[in-house]
């Protein structure tokens, strides 16, 4: 999330979170709320059977930063 937050959380409009273990959802929520601050964009979270390179979490972020 550091790469995302070089801008502002308000630049993020949609975040998809993929977890290999849905039991990690509460910890992910804790980190998400701390990193994103008061502005929290739309988000979806889902469990998946596996991720590339053995990752436990993957996030896709759609962001826009105007000129």
């Amino acid at each position: 999330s550091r790469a995302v937050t070089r801008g502002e959380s308000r630049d993020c409009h949609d975040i998809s979170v993929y977890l290999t273990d849905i039991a990690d959802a509460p910890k992910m929520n804790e980190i998400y709320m701390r990193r994103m601050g008061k502005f929290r964009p739309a988000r979806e979270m889902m469990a998946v059977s596996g991720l590339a390179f053995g990752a436990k979490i993957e996030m896709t972020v759609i962001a826009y930063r105007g000129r």
Side-chain angles (χ1 to χ4, degrees):
S1 70
R2 286 199 184 269
V4 169
T5 57
R6 282 186 204 144
E8 299 287 334
S9 61
R10 67 178 173 267
D11 295 336
C12 300
H13 297 280
D14 183 49
I15 299 177
S16 297
V17 181
Y18 307 91
L19 300 170
T20 57
D21 185 349
I22 201 67
D24 291 333
K27 183 66 175 176
M28 187 276 165
N29 278 329
E30 177 187 323
I31 295 167
Y32 178 85
M33 291 183 345
R34 188 172 59 238
R35 295 294 300 157
M36 296 308 283
K38 291 184 181 193
F39 180 84
R40 297 185 189 122
R43 179 190 60 180
E44 59 186 350
M45 188 182 319
M46 63 210 82
V48 295
S49 62
L51 293 168
F53 309 109
K56 293 180 71 176
I57 183 172
E58 183 172 320
M59 297 175 77
T60 301
V61 178
I62 297 174
Y64 173 77
R65 192 167 203 187
R67 295 179 188 213

